[in-house]
């Protein structure tokens, strides 16, 4: 497993691999790797000849009052977790490598970035799209894998790839959950055991709403009120959104249909958690 931090070195290495006909597979991450990442990496191994994992905590996707400084960073620990997964290259650039002085070019996926988390994290998806496009230009993957927990991120990236004619296959991979149903996230390390109990109610509220839908309910306002009650009864009062929306446009809906996205974002003692399921 080679560790590369220079953009130039990464590009020249990958150019050599592509010249010999190798298929490049990329798993972009911000580190603090968990079982969800491990699954993405294992799937990435199946989908390419050269498997590259990027580890970069991207400053441009954090708002001024978010956790960029405190975001968990543990490169050594991450390397240990993935040493047996057949990763060929870890691309772990510094901030200056990715955003040199006077950097001033950004990418925006105008409409998709406005919904759901977009209301609460202005500029977040612009930062995500920009860094992912840069990673695609540096690593030149044929296939890139992203977790479906960040469903809106996945849609933003797929749309960017389509709109900008990028030759990358973007693959979404199902959410990985702990035994209590909590969606795995690097930010779960901020949660105390008590917070984790409350956090497990987040996926429970989604499952209960889906149960209502399966029983024939279609009124999204009723279903959302019902889900919010479950959360509030569990002490989860800081809800950014709980919404049923079209799974492609992410626009909210009055009447739900099968396949719609049911998405939620809450804060538990300041820790932001997101989750989703499809109806
Ligand atoms: O999902 C993440 O870890 C990040 O948003 C990503 C895609 C690596 C971009 O920084």
């Amino acid at each position: 497993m080679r560790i590369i931090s220079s953009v130039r070195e990464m590009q020249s290495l990958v150019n050599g691999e592509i010249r010999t006909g190798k298929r490049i597979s990329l798993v972009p991450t911000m580190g603090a790797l968990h079982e969800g990442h491990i699954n993405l990496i294992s799937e990435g191994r199946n989908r390419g000849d050269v498997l590259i994992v990027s580890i970069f905590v991207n400053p441009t996707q954090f708002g001024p009052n978010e956790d960029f400084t405190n975001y968990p960073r543990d490169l050594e620990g991450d390397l240990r977790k993935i040493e047996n997964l057949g990763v060929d290259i870890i691309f772990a650039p510094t901030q200056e490598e990715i955003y040199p002085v006077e950097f001033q070019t950004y990418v925006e996926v105008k409409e998709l970035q406005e919904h759901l988390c977009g209301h609460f994290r202005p500029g977040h998806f612009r930062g995500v799209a920009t860094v992912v496009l840069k990673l695609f230009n540096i690593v030149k993957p044929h296939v890139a894998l992203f977790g479906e927990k960040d469903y809106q991120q996945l849609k933003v990236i797929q749309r960017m790839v389509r709109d900008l004619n990028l030759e990358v296959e973007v693959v979404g991979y199902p959410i990985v959950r702990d035994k209590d149903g909590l969606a795995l996230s690097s930010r779960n390390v901020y949660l105390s055991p008590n917070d984790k109990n409350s956090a497990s109610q987040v996926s429970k509220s989604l499952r209960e709403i889906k149960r209502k839908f399966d029983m024939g309910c279609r009124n999204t306002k009723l279903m959302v009120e019902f889900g919010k009650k479950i959360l509030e009864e569990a002490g989860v009062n800081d809800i950014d959104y709980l919404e049923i929306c079209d799974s492609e446009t992410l626009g909210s809906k009055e009447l739900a249909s099968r396949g719609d996205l049911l998405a939620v974002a809450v804060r538990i003692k300041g820790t932001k958690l997101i989750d989703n399921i499809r109806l």
Side-chain angles (χ1 to χ4, degrees):
M1 192 158 70
R2 265 180 87 168
I3 302 170
I4 293 182
S5 59
S6 140
V7 167
R8 272 257 165 94
E9 196 184 342
M10 185 68 250
Q11 282 176 318
S12 89
L13 204 142
V14 94
N15 285 341
E17 299 286 7
I18 290 170
R19 267 198 301 275
T20 61
K22 299 268 174 57
R23 183 175 161 84
I24 312 294
S25 171
L26 170 68
V27 179
T29 81
M30 297 207 298
L33 303 179
H34 51 69
E35 205 52 40
H37 295 112
I38 304 296
N39 283 6
L40 280 178
I41 293 170
S42 306
E43 183 61 22
R45 180 65 284 166
N46 297 332
R47 288 176 179 257
D49 306 308
V50 179
L51 173 58
I52 302 175
V53 174
S54 66
I55 298 185
F56 178 65
V57 183
N58 173 36
T60 63
Q61 68 189 74
F62 289 80
N65 299 318
E66 294 186 7
D67 55 346
F68 173 66
T69 316
N70 299 330
Y71 195 83
R73 291 165 172 86
D74 178 17
L75 185 58
E76 295 281 297
D78 287 342
L79 297 181
R80 270 196 307 276
K81 282 180 207 156
I82 61 177
E83 64 192 354
N84 296 321
L85 297 180
V87 177
D88 296 297
I89 299 166
I90 301 284
F91 178 52
T94 59
Q95 202 169 306
E96 296 70 37
E97 270 299 285
I98 297 295
Y99 297 110
V101 182
E102 296 202 358
F103 180 87
Q104 51 186 294
T105 306
Y106 291 87
V107 191
E108 288 193 57
V109 179
K110 277 293 186 192
E111 277 172 37
L112 283 174
Q113 71 177 4
E114 299 300 334
H115 302 287
L116 301 174
C117 287
H119 295 298
F120 300 89
R121 304 187 75 187
H124 169 70
F125 291 109
R126 174 187 193 248
V128 169
T130 302
V131 81
V132 170
L133 180 57
K134 281 181 69 83
L135 289 170
F136 285 177
N137 283 331
I138 296 164
V139 173
K140 302 185 177 78
H142 297 89
V143 58
L145 297 99
F146 297 85
E148 286 178 354
K149 181 175 73 64
D150 297 292
Y151 187 89
Q152 186 172 14
Q153 165 172 286
L154 176 65
K155 287 289 137 187
V156 163
I157 293 165
Q158 283 173 335
R159 178 54 59 112
M160 173 182 78
V161 162
R162 200 182 96 177
D163 289 353
L164 299 183
N165 307 100
L166 305 178
E167 290 184 300
V168 186
E169 181 194 354
V170 174
V171 176
Y173 199 81
I175 297 177
V176 180
R177 300 179 180 281
D178 74 7
K179 61 176 184 359
D180 299 317
L182 174 64
L184 297 193
S185 158
S186 301
R187 288 191 170 95
N188 291 357
V189 297
Y190 299 142
L191 301 172
S192 69
N194 242 352
D195 299 337
K196 274 200 174 157
N197 272 341
S198 318
S200 64
Q201 298 301 309
V202 174
S203 62
K204 182 177 169 214
S205 72
L206 299 183
R207 286 195 307 276
E208 290 298 320
I209 293 176
K210 181 164 184 324
R211 213 156 61 88
K212 258 201 172 321
F213 174 83
D214 289 339
M215 279 164 20
C217 185
R218 293 293 178 267
N219 183 320
T220 60
K221 196 160 172 272
L222 282 182
M223 288 193 277
V224 164
E225 273 165 17
F226 167 75
K228 282 191 172 163
K229 216 159 148 250
I230 297 176
L231 288 172
E232 281 159 6
E233 276 167 13
V236 182
N237 297 303
D238 199 352
I239 305 171
D240 279 359
Y241 61 81
L242 174 61
E243 216 172 294
I244 296 173
C245 58
D246 181 275
S247 63
E248 286 304 313
T249 65
L250 306 185
S252 59
K253 295 185 72 173
E254 281 179 19
L255 285 181
S257 345
R258 188 147 311 273
D260 282 348
L261 181 77
L262 168 55
V264 64
V266 302
R267 287 163 206 266
I268 294 182
K269 301 226 188 82
T271 298
K272 189 180 158 89
L273 301 175
I274 58 173
D275 199 349
N276 68 77
I277 54 174
R278 300 288 288 281
L279 290 180

